[in-house]
Amino acid sequence: MGIRSVPALTVCALAVAVAAGCARPPVSPGPPNAGDVATAPAVTTEVTAPAATSASTVTIAATGTVVKPQAPTGENVSAEDGKHFGYLKKVTQKSGDVVVTVDYAQMLSGHEAATAAAAHGDESPPPNDYYIVNDNPKLRTFKLASGAGVKYLVGGDPTLHATSASGFLSRWESSAADATILRNPYWLTIHGGAIVKLEQQYLP
């Protein structure tokens, strides 16, 4: 709702009013003009992200319009940062770095697993109470950080074996002796656009 402006009251100068006591009576305001409607100023609310990441601001105007913040920038920020699940498609070396190509997937359990299995026409509830969904063929490539913690499986044993980034590359290249390292999916933690933790998932 607009706010109607009211003309200021007309008064005599203070000195004259004191001297003569003849201040003129206030003038009654006339009807408002069409152009006298003022718009209330927009109310904005600012929410700033913690200092650990690049600050972003969300502005909400009185009209309800939301101005979305720009994506954070900086060498330590990546849209892929976080923990992901998927299959490794390729492990190679490029410019001295170990590079991993990943196909993201979802590992579900319980009700979600049963629902997904039924939707894909598979046994529901699924055996061992887990179901892996891999509907998106998109591949993503990341550097495996030199100091990354890497753990992989050998054969059908659920015991994880620790190694370095370079050690994992060597193991991958000699995988003909044990296909488990190629077949089973992995959990990967990404920070700053690079994999800092890689751990293979045991499947019963």
Side-chain angles (χ1 to χ4, degrees):
M1 177 182 294
I3 300 175
R4 179 177 300 172
S5 61
V6 180
L9 298 181
T10 305
V11 294
C12 291
L14 180 60
V16 176
V18 173
C22 59
R24 295 173 61 183
V27 179
S28 300
N33 295 323
D36 288 340
V37 178
T39 302
V43 179
T44 60
T45 303
E46 293 190 353
V47 181
T48 304
T53 59
S54 298
S56 59
T57 302
V58 177
T59 303
I60 306 175
T63 58
T65 303
V66 177
V67 181
K68 295 182 179 180
Q70 295 182 348
T73 58
E75 61 180 10
N76 293 323
V77 178
S78 167
E80 300 288 345
D81 281 6
K83 189 173 183 179
H84 303 276
F85 178 81
Y87 293 91
L88 301 193
K89 294 299 183 180
K90 185 166 53 175
V91 179
T92 58
Q93 190 169 33
K94 182 178 181 181
S95 300
D97 294 323
V98 178
V99 178
V100 178
T101 300
V102 185
D103 179 12
Y104 282 173
Q106 290 179 290
M107 187 174 186
L108 307 175
S109 62
H111 177 70
E112 289 184 336
T115 300
H120 287 77
D122 294 326
E123 181 182 349
S124 180
N128 300 305
D129 194 38
Y130 78 87
Y131 188 78
I132 296 176
V133 177
N134 186 21
D135 294 336
N136 190 343
K138 180 179 179 179
L139 300 180
R140 297 168 172 83
T141 300
F142 304 99
K143 169 188 173 182
L144 181 59
S146 58
V150 182
K151 295 182 179 180
Y152 65 95
L153 297 168
V154 176
D157 188 345
T159 303
L160 288 167
H161 299 263
T163 188
S164 62
S166 59
F168 183 69
L169 174 63
S170 299
R171 183 73 189 182
W172 182 275
E173 292 175 338
S174 61
S175 60
D178 181 11
T180 303
I181 197 171
L182 304 176
R183 182 179 61 249
N184 281 35
Y186 289 78
W187 291 98
L188 51 151
T189 302
I190 299 174
H191 179 72
I195 299 174
V196 295
K197 184 178 180 180
L198 185 65
E199 188 170 303
Q200 195 165 24
Q201 173 67 48
Y202 171 73
L203 299 177

PDB file of all heavy atoms in Angstrom, residues 6-7 20 30 33 44 57 61 78 86-87 91-92 101 106 118 131 137 143 154 167 171 175 186-187 189 192 203:
ATOM      1  N   VAL A   6       1.442  14.400   3.156  1.00  0.00           N
ATOM      2  CA  VAL A   6       0.612  15.472   3.724  1.00  0.00           C
ATOM      3  C   VAL A   6       1.396  16.769   3.704  1.00  0.00           C
ATOM      4  O   VAL A   6       2.541  16.802   4.162  1.00  0.00           O
ATOM      5  CB  VAL A   6       0.216  15.133   5.183  1.00  0.00           C
ATOM      6  CG1 VAL A   6      -0.647  16.239   5.765  1.00  0.00           C
ATOM      7  CG2 VAL A   6      -0.509  13.800   5.206  1.00  0.00           C
ATOM      8  N   PRO A   7       0.829  17.842   3.144  1.00  0.00           N
ATOM      9  CA  PRO A   7       1.574  19.121   3.088  1.00  0.00           C
ATOM     10  C   PRO A   7       1.952  19.576   4.487  1.00  0.00           C
ATOM     11  O   PRO A   7       1.221  19.378   5.459  1.00  0.00           O
ATOM     12  CB  PRO A   7       0.592  20.099   2.431  1.00  0.00           C
ATOM     13  CG  PRO A   7      -0.380  19.223   1.713  1.00  0.00           C
ATOM     14  CD  PRO A   7      -0.483  17.964   2.518  1.00  0.00           C
ATOM     15  N   ALA A  20       4.446  38.854  18.852  1.00  0.00           N
ATOM     16  CA  ALA A  20       3.096  39.351  18.610  1.00  0.00           C
ATOM     17  C   ALA A  20       2.031  38.390  19.081  1.00  0.00           C
ATOM     18  O   ALA A  20       0.874  38.769  19.202  1.00  0.00           O
ATOM     19  CB  ALA A  20       2.901  39.674  17.130  1.00  0.00           C
ATOM     20  N   GLY A  30      -5.188  19.953   1.930  1.00  0.00           N
ATOM     21  CA  GLY A  30      -6.115  19.744   0.829  1.00  0.00           C
ATOM     22  C   GLY A  30      -6.096  18.311   0.363  1.00  0.00           C
ATOM     23  O   GLY A  30      -5.346  17.495   0.872  1.00  0.00           O
ATOM     24  N   ASN A  33      -2.821  15.049  -4.298  1.00  0.00           N
ATOM     25  CA  ASN A  33      -2.689  14.995  -5.753  1.00  0.00           C
ATOM     26  C   ASN A  33      -2.343  13.583  -6.179  1.00  0.00           C
ATOM     27  O   ASN A  33      -1.785  12.806  -5.420  1.00  0.00           O
ATOM     28  CB  ASN A  33      -1.589  15.960  -6.224  1.00  0.00           C
ATOM     29  CG  ASN A  33      -1.967  17.405  -5.931  1.00  0.00           C
ATOM     30  OD1 ASN A  33      -3.139  17.778  -6.038  1.00  0.00           O
ATOM     31  ND2 ASN A  33      -0.982  18.200  -5.548  1.00  0.00           N
ATOM     32  N   THR A  44      15.646  -4.991   2.691  1.00  0.00           N
ATOM     33  CA  THR A  44      16.599  -6.011   2.263  1.00  0.00           C
ATOM     34  C   THR A  44      17.127  -6.777   3.463  1.00  0.00           C
ATOM     35  O   THR A  44      17.241  -6.230   4.563  1.00  0.00           O
ATOM     36  CB  THR A  44      17.790  -5.390   1.506  1.00  0.00           C
ATOM     37  OG1 THR A  44      18.443  -4.474   2.377  1.00  0.00           O
ATOM     38  CG2 THR A  44      17.321  -4.662   0.269  1.00  0.00           C
ATOM     39  N   THR A  57      25.852 -13.234  -0.779  1.00  0.00           N
ATOM     40  CA  THR A  57      24.770 -12.461  -0.201  1.00  0.00           C
ATOM     41  C   THR A  57      23.469 -12.745  -0.913  1.00  0.00           C
ATOM     42  O   THR A  57      23.414 -12.761  -2.133  1.00  0.00           O
ATOM     43  CB  THR A  57      25.072 -10.947  -0.295  1.00  0.00           C
ATOM     44  OG1 THR A  57      26.306 -10.693   0.369  1.00  0.00           O
ATOM     45  CG2 THR A  57      23.968 -10.143   0.341  1.00  0.00           C
ATOM     46  N   ALA A  61      13.917  -8.406  -1.690  1.00  0.00           N
ATOM     47  CA  ALA A  61      13.281  -7.103  -1.747  1.00  0.00           C
ATOM     48  C   ALA A  61      11.851  -7.194  -1.256  1.00  0.00           C
ATOM     49  O   ALA A  61      11.290  -8.274  -1.105  1.00  0.00           O
ATOM     50  CB  ALA A  61      13.314  -6.576  -3.182  1.00  0.00           C
ATOM     51  N   SER A  78      35.359 -25.721  -5.210  1.00  0.00           N
ATOM     52  CA  SER A  78      34.941 -26.458  -6.396  1.00  0.00           C
ATOM     53  C   SER A  78      33.496 -26.868  -6.238  1.00  0.00           C
ATOM     54  O   SER A  78      33.040 -27.202  -5.142  1.00  0.00           O
ATOM     55  CB  SER A  78      35.823 -27.706  -6.591  1.00  0.00           C
ATOM     56  OG  SER A  78      35.252 -28.578  -7.544  1.00  0.00           O
ATOM     57  N   GLY A  86      30.792 -43.705  -6.568  1.00  0.00           N
ATOM     58  CA  GLY A  86      30.775 -44.007  -7.999  1.00  0.00           C
ATOM     59  C   GLY A  86      31.789 -45.066  -8.391  1.00  0.00           C
ATOM     60  O   GLY A  86      32.496 -45.633  -7.553  1.00  0.00           O
ATOM     61  N   TYR A  87      31.841 -45.307  -9.689  1.00  0.00           N
ATOM     62  CA  TYR A  87      32.752 -46.297 -10.260  1.00  0.00           C
ATOM     63  C   TYR A  87      33.923 -45.592 -10.934  1.00  0.00           C
ATOM     64  O   TYR A  87      33.727 -44.596 -11.643  1.00  0.00           O
ATOM     65  CB  TYR A  87      32.021 -47.149 -11.285  1.00  0.00           C
ATOM     66  CG  TYR A  87      30.953 -48.040 -10.688  1.00  0.00           C
ATOM     67  CD1 TYR A  87      29.637 -47.603 -10.573  1.00  0.00           C
ATOM     68  CD2 TYR A  87      31.264 -49.326 -10.243  1.00  0.00           C
ATOM     69  CE1 TYR A  87      28.656 -48.413 -10.023  1.00  0.00           C
ATOM     70  CE2 TYR A  87      30.292 -50.146  -9.694  1.00  0.00           C
ATOM     71  CZ  TYR A  87      28.989 -49.688  -9.581  1.00  0.00           C
ATOM     72  OH  TYR A  87      28.021 -50.500  -9.036  1.00  0.00           O
ATOM     73  N   VAL A  91      42.256 -44.737 -14.491  1.00  0.00           N
ATOM     74  CA  VAL A  91      43.266 -44.120 -13.632  1.00  0.00           C
ATOM     75  C   VAL A  91      44.541 -44.010 -14.466  1.00  0.00           C
ATOM     76  O   VAL A  91      45.088 -45.014 -14.914  1.00  0.00           O
ATOM     77  CB  VAL A  91      43.532 -44.950 -12.362  1.00  0.00           C
ATOM     78  CG1 VAL A  91      44.604 -44.273 -11.503  1.00  0.00           C
ATOM     79  CG2 VAL A  91      42.249 -45.130 -11.552  1.00  0.00           C
ATOM     80  N   THR A  92      44.992 -42.784 -14.696  1.00  0.00           N
ATOM     81  CA  THR A  92      46.158 -42.557 -15.547  1.00  0.00           C
ATOM     82  C   THR A  92      47.093 -41.534 -14.897  1.00  0.00           C
ATOM     83  O   THR A  92      46.801 -41.013 -13.814  1.00  0.00           O
ATOM     84  CB  THR A  92      45.732 -42.038 -16.936  1.00  0.00           C
ATOM     85  OG1 THR A  92      44.982 -40.818 -16.769  1.00  0.00           O
ATOM     86  CG2 THR A  92      44.867 -43.055 -17.657  1.00  0.00           C
ATOM     87  N   THR A 101      39.141 -40.899 -13.523  1.00  0.00           N
ATOM     88  CA  THR A 101      37.866 -40.632 -14.193  1.00  0.00           C
ATOM     89  C   THR A 101      36.775 -41.418 -13.476  1.00  0.00           C
ATOM     90  O   THR A 101      36.896 -42.634 -13.282  1.00  0.00           O
ATOM     91  CB  THR A 101      37.913 -41.033 -15.674  1.00  0.00           C
ATOM     92  OG1 THR A 101      38.946 -40.276 -16.324  1.00  0.00           O
ATOM     93  CG2 THR A 101      36.585 -40.757 -16.361  1.00  0.00           C
ATOM     94  N   GLN A 106      24.608 -43.952  -7.042  1.00  0.00           N
ATOM     95  CA  GLN A 106      23.996 -43.845  -5.729  1.00  0.00           C
ATOM     96  C   GLN A 106      23.897 -45.230  -5.106  1.00  0.00           C
ATOM     97  O   GLN A 106      23.420 -46.160  -5.764  1.00  0.00           O
ATOM     98  CB  GLN A 106      22.593 -43.250  -5.813  1.00  0.00           C
ATOM     99  CG  GLN A 106      22.523 -41.782  -6.180  1.00  0.00           C
ATOM    100  CD  GLN A 106      21.076 -41.320  -6.260  1.00  0.00           C
ATOM    101  OE1 GLN A 106      20.341 -41.695  -7.163  1.00  0.00           O
ATOM    102  NE2 GLN A 106      20.651 -40.528  -5.299  1.00  0.00           N
ATOM    103  N   ALA A 118      12.492 -51.737  -7.454  1.00  0.00           N
ATOM    104  CA  ALA A 118      11.192 -51.977  -8.089  1.00  0.00           C
ATOM    105  C   ALA A 118      11.011 -51.094  -9.310  1.00  0.00           C
ATOM    106  O   ALA A 118      10.497 -51.530 -10.352  1.00  0.00           O
ATOM    107  CB  ALA A 118      10.071 -51.724  -7.079  1.00  0.00           C
ATOM    108  N   TYR A 131      21.041 -51.331  -2.994  1.00  0.00           N
ATOM    109  CA  TYR A 131      20.796 -51.267  -4.431  1.00  0.00           C
ATOM    110  C   TYR A 131      21.560 -50.067  -4.963  1.00  0.00           C
ATOM    111  O   TYR A 131      21.508 -48.972  -4.395  1.00  0.00           O
ATOM    112  CB  TYR A 131      19.303 -51.110  -4.721  1.00  0.00           C
ATOM    113  CG  TYR A 131      18.952 -51.236  -6.184  1.00  0.00           C
ATOM    114  CD1 TYR A 131      18.874 -52.476  -6.803  1.00  0.00           C
ATOM    115  CD2 TYR A 131      18.697 -50.099  -6.963  1.00  0.00           C
ATOM    116  CE1 TYR A 131      18.544 -52.598  -8.146  1.00  0.00           C
ATOM    117  CE2 TYR A 131      18.373 -50.208  -8.299  1.00  0.00           C
ATOM    118  CZ  TYR A 131      18.298 -51.461  -8.883  1.00  0.00           C
ATOM    119  OH  TYR A 131      17.971 -51.577 -10.223  1.00  0.00           O
ATOM    120  N   PRO A 137      25.212 -41.394 -17.325  1.00  0.00           N
ATOM    121  CA  PRO A 137      26.483 -41.849 -17.894  1.00  0.00           C
ATOM    122  C   PRO A 137      27.603 -40.803 -17.872  1.00  0.00           C
ATOM    123  O   PRO A 137      28.720 -41.084 -18.312  1.00  0.00           O
ATOM    124  CB  PRO A 137      26.105 -42.196 -19.336  1.00  0.00           C
ATOM    125  CG  PRO A 137      24.998 -41.237 -19.654  1.00  0.00           C
ATOM    126  CD  PRO A 137      24.217 -41.078 -18.376  1.00  0.00           C
ATOM    127  N   LYS A 143      41.993 -34.842 -10.327  1.00  0.00           N
ATOM    128  CA  LYS A 143      43.354 -35.167  -9.895  1.00  0.00           C
ATOM    129  C   LYS A 143      43.267 -35.893  -8.552  1.00  0.00           C
ATOM    130  O   LYS A 143      42.473 -35.518  -7.681  1.00  0.00           O
ATOM    131  CB  LYS A 143      44.164 -33.878  -9.747  1.00  0.00           C
ATOM    132  CG  LYS A 143      45.508 -34.071  -9.060  1.00  0.00           C
ATOM    133  CD  LYS A 143      46.162 -32.718  -8.781  1.00  0.00           C
ATOM    134  CE  LYS A 143      47.418 -32.850  -7.935  1.00  0.00           C
ATOM    135  NZ  LYS A 143      48.034 -31.539  -7.626  1.00  0.00           N
ATOM    136  N   VAL A 154      41.151 -56.370  -2.067  1.00  0.00           N
ATOM    137  CA  VAL A 154      41.853 -57.427  -2.788  1.00  0.00           C
ATOM    138  C   VAL A 154      40.957 -58.665  -2.783  1.00  0.00           C
ATOM    139  O   VAL A 154      40.600 -59.164  -1.699  1.00  0.00           O
ATOM    140  CB  VAL A 154      43.214 -57.753  -2.157  1.00  0.00           C
ATOM    141  CG1 VAL A 154      43.869 -58.923  -2.882  1.00  0.00           C
ATOM    142  CG2 VAL A 154      44.124 -56.525  -2.187  1.00  0.00           C
ATOM    143  N   GLY A 167      51.032 -45.422  -5.581  1.00  0.00           N
ATOM    144  CA  GLY A 167      50.878 -46.855  -5.357  1.00  0.00           C
ATOM    145  C   GLY A 167      49.563 -47.369  -5.921  1.00  0.00           C
ATOM    146  O   GLY A 167      49.495 -48.487  -6.450  1.00  0.00           O
ATOM    147  N   ARG A 171      48.911 -50.227  -8.742  1.00  0.00           N
ATOM    148  CA  ARG A 171      48.003 -51.343  -8.487  1.00  0.00           C
ATOM    149  C   ARG A 171      46.940 -51.424  -9.582  1.00  0.00           C
ATOM    150  O   ARG A 171      46.564 -52.513 -10.030  1.00  0.00           O
ATOM    151  CB  ARG A 171      47.346 -51.142  -7.122  1.00  0.00           C
ATOM    152  CG  ARG A 171      46.433 -52.282  -6.699  1.00  0.00           C
ATOM    153  CD  ARG A 171      47.222 -53.504  -6.305  1.00  0.00           C
ATOM    154  NE  ARG A 171      46.343 -54.647  -6.105  1.00  0.00           N
ATOM    155  CZ  ARG A 171      46.769 -55.838  -5.715  1.00  0.00           C
ATOM    156  NH1 ARG A 171      48.047 -56.039  -5.453  1.00  0.00           N
ATOM    157  NH2 ARG A 171      45.919 -56.841  -5.557  1.00  0.00           N
ATOM    158  N   SER A 175      46.067 -54.549 -12.539  1.00  0.00           N
ATOM    159  CA  SER A 175      44.801 -55.114 -12.074  1.00  0.00           C
ATOM    160  C   SER A 175      44.405 -56.411 -12.761  1.00  0.00           C
ATOM    161  O   SER A 175      43.430 -57.050 -12.362  1.00  0.00           O
ATOM    162  CB  SER A 175      43.677 -54.089 -12.256  1.00  0.00           C
ATOM    163  OG  SER A 175      43.562 -53.735 -13.635  1.00  0.00           O
ATOM    164  N   TYR A 186      33.603 -46.960  -5.428  1.00  0.00           N
ATOM    165  CA  TYR A 186      34.434 -46.245  -4.454  1.00  0.00           C
ATOM    166  C   TYR A 186      33.658 -45.079  -3.841  1.00  0.00           C
ATOM    167  O   TYR A 186      32.749 -44.517  -4.458  1.00  0.00           O
ATOM    168  CB  TYR A 186      35.686 -45.668  -5.133  1.00  0.00           C
ATOM    169  CG  TYR A 186      36.716 -46.680  -5.555  1.00  0.00           C
ATOM    170  CD1 TYR A 186      36.544 -47.437  -6.710  1.00  0.00           C
ATOM    171  CD2 TYR A 186      37.879 -46.877  -4.804  1.00  0.00           C
ATOM    172  CE1 TYR A 186      37.494 -48.370  -7.110  1.00  0.00           C
ATOM    173  CE2 TYR A 186      38.842 -47.798  -5.203  1.00  0.00           C
ATOM    174  CZ  TYR A 186      38.644 -48.543  -6.346  1.00  0.00           C
ATOM    175  OH  TYR A 186      39.583 -49.460  -6.740  1.00  0.00           O
ATOM    176  N   TRP A 187      34.088 -44.710  -2.637  1.00  0.00           N
ATOM    177  CA  TRP A 187      33.683 -43.450  -2.016  1.00  0.00           C
ATOM    178  C   TRP A 187      34.852 -42.491  -2.182  1.00  0.00           C
ATOM    179  O   TRP A 187      35.989 -42.839  -1.869  1.00  0.00           O
ATOM    180  CB  TRP A 187      33.375 -43.633  -0.532  1.00  0.00           C
ATOM    181  CG  TRP A 187      32.136 -44.435  -0.277  1.00  0.00           C
ATOM    182  CD1 TRP A 187      32.049 -45.763   0.018  1.00  0.00           C
ATOM    183  CD2 TRP A 187      30.796 -43.940  -0.295  1.00  0.00           C
ATOM    184  NE1 TRP A 187      30.740 -46.138   0.176  1.00  0.00           N
ATOM    185  CE2 TRP A 187      29.946 -45.047  -0.013  1.00  0.00           C
ATOM    186  CE3 TRP A 187      30.223 -42.690  -0.535  1.00  0.00           C
ATOM    187  CZ2 TRP A 187      28.567 -44.925   0.043  1.00  0.00           C
ATOM    188  CZ3 TRP A 187      28.841 -42.575  -0.481  1.00  0.00           C
ATOM    189  CH2 TRP A 187      28.018 -43.670  -0.194  1.00  0.00           C
ATOM    190  N   THR A 189      36.231 -38.409  -1.585  1.00  0.00           N
ATOM    191  CA  THR A 189      36.049 -37.089  -0.985  1.00  0.00           C
ATOM    192  C   THR A 189      36.858 -36.087  -1.791  1.00  0.00           C
ATOM    193  O   THR A 189      38.062 -36.265  -1.994  1.00  0.00           O
ATOM    194  CB  THR A 189      36.510 -37.074   0.479  1.00  0.00           C
ATOM    195  OG1 THR A 189      35.775 -38.059   1.211  1.00  0.00           O
ATOM    196  CG2 THR A 189      36.282 -35.706   1.102  1.00  0.00           C
ATOM    197  N   GLY A 192      38.667 -28.750  -3.076  1.00  0.00           N
ATOM    198  CA  GLY A 192      39.412 -27.886  -3.981  1.00  0.00           C
ATOM    199  C   GLY A 192      39.546 -28.477  -5.378  1.00  0.00           C
ATOM    200  O   GLY A 192      40.490 -28.176  -6.096  1.00  0.00           O
ATOM    201  N   LEU A 203      31.292 -55.154  -1.437  1.00  0.00           N
ATOM    202  CA  LEU A 203      29.953 -55.602  -1.781  1.00  0.00           C
ATOM    203  C   LEU A 203      29.837 -57.104  -1.510  1.00  0.00           C
ATOM    204  O   LEU A 203      30.574 -57.900  -2.105  1.00  0.00           O
ATOM    205  CB  LEU A 203      29.657 -55.325  -3.266  1.00  0.00           C
ATOM    206  CG  LEU A 203      29.694 -53.857  -3.711  1.00  0.00           C
ATOM    207  CD1 LEU A 203      29.465 -53.759  -5.211  1.00  0.00           C
ATOM    208  CD2 LEU A 203      28.667 -53.029  -2.942  1.00  0.00           C
TER     209      LEU A 203
END
